[in-house]
Amino acid sequence: MIEAKGITKFFSIVNEDRTAAGLTAVLSVSLKIGDGRIVSILGPSGCGKSTFLEILAGLQAPTEGEVYIDGVRVLEPLPSTRREMEDYRRRYQFLSPLANGLFRDRPKHDIAMIFQDYAVFPWMTALQNVTFALKLRGVARAEREERALPFLKAAGLGDSLDKYPSQLSGGMRQRLALARALAVEPKIILMDEPFAAVDTITRERLQDDLLKLWEATGITMVLVTHDTDEAIYLSDEVVIFSPPPGEVRNVFQVESLRPRRRNDPEHLDLKRRIDALFKYDIDHESEYSI
Ligand SMILES: Nc1ncnc2c1ncn2[C@@H]1O[C@H](COP(=O)(O)OP(=O)(O)OP(=O)(O)O)[C@@H](O)[C@H]1O
Ligand SMILES: [Mg+2]
């Protein structure tokens, strides 16, 4: 169970004229995500979706609020007394508090994250990208390749092991990011617009691949997307963020049974309701900025 309690994120910004300003990216978001569920976060650009996802992964600290995964707090506050510091050192051994918060590809709690820019390393081949993720998780050198290969093959990259990301198509790069995330066998996968940059047919194929993986593993998936159809087709639950600052505006349950049909009338009805919300927000945009 992922539990976000009252998450608010405030960024301080220094303007060009050196005056200080601030921006609330996420406002009081509370959300519970049950094990094995697929949940989409849908909302307009700039409403704090990526920020919220990084907070779930423990890659950014919230200004207010806490995230718990199976009851364990993600990203504890830094120690403020000598005694807390000693406790902290004992628990995390050699890691300094700062380093503990900064390992971008090494979140705790069995989470894997696919970033909006899919963040595969351009200087590593497809195979090296996956074995490197395993190395970060402490898998012994001799086992890495053996563990990486089935995920690369399942992602359709069996013939492209030695290619660099720049030699792969956009869809292949996204599959590589997915293979790398899955190879570490996480319990939770957080995905930031994983299929935004590919054509419709490839996107639909990737969505179905993802559902197959989900059926096989029962992994919990949280997915940020701009695409209402994608959110409804994939998810058990669709969370709509409001225009900035991002608050939870609505939560819709998608009840239709799997395997689903893309043109299910139930989905069309839900899509109409969600699109009407977005249209309402655009029509009333000026009221938000007051
Ligand atoms: N490190 C930062 N410093 C200052 N402002 C930031 C920082 N990161 C994000 N923001 C701001 O916070 C707001 C939310 O950003 P975020 O990337 O979370 O939005 P998003 O919903 O993911 O948008 P998109 O759909 O375009 O990806 C934006 O106004 C952005 O400029
Ligand atoms: Mg984003």
Side-chain angles (χ1 to χ4, degrees):
M1 158 90 88
I2 308 174
E3 195 172 4
K5 289 188 184 172
I7 298 296
T8 292
K9 181 72 183 188
F10 180 81
F11 288 112
S12 307
I13 308 168
V14 180
N15 292 325
E16 272 175 24
D17 61 4
R18 302 212 164 181
T19 54
L23 174 148
T24 305
V26 180
L27 186 60
S28 293
V29 172
S30 294
L31 211 58
K32 280 187 191 172
I33 298 172
D35 289 343
R37 307 263 293 168
I38 307 182
V39 174
S40 290
I41 299 175
L42 196 63
S45 187
C47 72
K49 303 179 297 296
S50 297
T51 304
F52 180 67
L53 211 62
E54 295 204 357
I55 290 172
L56 287 187
L59 300 169
Q60 289 199 36
T63 313
E64 268 173 49
E66 297 113 50
V67 176
Y68 292 88
I69 291 179
D70 297 336
V72 178
R73 178 133 177 218
V74 171
L75 211 68
E76 295 155 75
L78 297 180
S80 55
T81 62
R82 176 181 281 243
R83 189 182 178 145
E84 281 175 9
M85 186 66 177
E86 280 164 10
D87 275 354
Y88 200 96
R89 283 233 172 84
R90 212 167 302 126
R91 243 176 308 146
Y92 298 114
Q93 297 172 2
F94 60 91
L95 288 185
S96 73
L98 201 61
N100 186 42
L102 289 181
F103 278 138
R104 191 167 140 96
D105 267 324
R106 200 176 187 181
K108 295 175 285 181
H109 302 286
D110 295 334
I111 302 172
M113 171 122 179
I114 298 181
F115 294 93
Q116 190 161 7
D117 49 11
Y118 7 111
V120 288
F121 299 120
W123 62 89
M124 291 184 188
T125 64
L127 178 61
Q128 286 164 349
N129 259 287
V130 180
T131 52
F132 182 70
L134 292 167
K135 178 181 173 179
L136 286 182
R137 300 284 171 138
V139 175
R141 180 189 291 263
E143 287 172 34
R144 286 177 208 152
E145 202 167 310
E146 200 182 317
R147 282 192 40 187
L149 285 174
F151 290 95
L152 284 157
K153 284 185 187 147
L157 294 166
D159 294 331
S160 309
L161 299 177
D162 297 325
K163 288 198 178 146
Y164 289 90
S166 62
Q167 298 168 308
L168 301 174
S169 70
M172 288 163 101
R173 271 202 295 275
Q174 269 166 325
R175 293 203 300 270
L176 175 58
L178 194 61
R180 195 177 66 166
L182 290 165
V184 302
E185 297 179 26
K187 282 201 222 127
I188 297 169
I189 185 159
L190 307 176
M191 289 174 276
D192 197 350
E193 306 203 25
F195 310 134
V198 291
D199 64 84
T200 316
I201 292 172
T202 311
R203 181 187 303 185
E204 292 188 354
R205 195 178 304 149
L206 290 170
Q207 290 167 349
D208 288 326
D209 289 348
L210 192 72
L211 286 172
K212 265 187 231 145
L213 269 162
W214 174 78
E215 274 160 22
T217 56
I219 203 170
T220 309
M221 293 184 173
V222 185
L223 173 101
V224 165
T225 175
H226 273 125
D227 181 340
T228 314
D229 289 313
E230 175 170 275
I232 296 172
Y233 180 65
L234 292 177
S235 321
D236 298 306
E237 208 168 299
V238 181
V239 178
I240 315 276
F241 270 30
S242 68
E247 290 179 272
V248 174
R249 193 190 193 297
N250 301 72
V251 179
F252 293 99
Q253 307 292 328
V254 188
E255 310 277 2
S256 60
L257 297 175
R258 300 173 202 275
R260 291 177 174 164
R261 283 179 301 134
R262 287 182 189 273
N263 49 4
D264 192 320
E266 219 179 299
H267 294 179
L268 290 178
D269 184 48
L270 187 54
K271 180 176 160 59
R272 228 171 277 132
R273 285 161 64 196
I274 292 174
D275 287 347
L277 285 179
F278 287 139
K279 184 171 180 320
Y280 179 91
D281 286 343
I282 291 167
D283 291 347
H284 294 75
E285 199 164 12
S286 56
E287 292 166 26
Y288 281 98
S289 52
I290 290 168

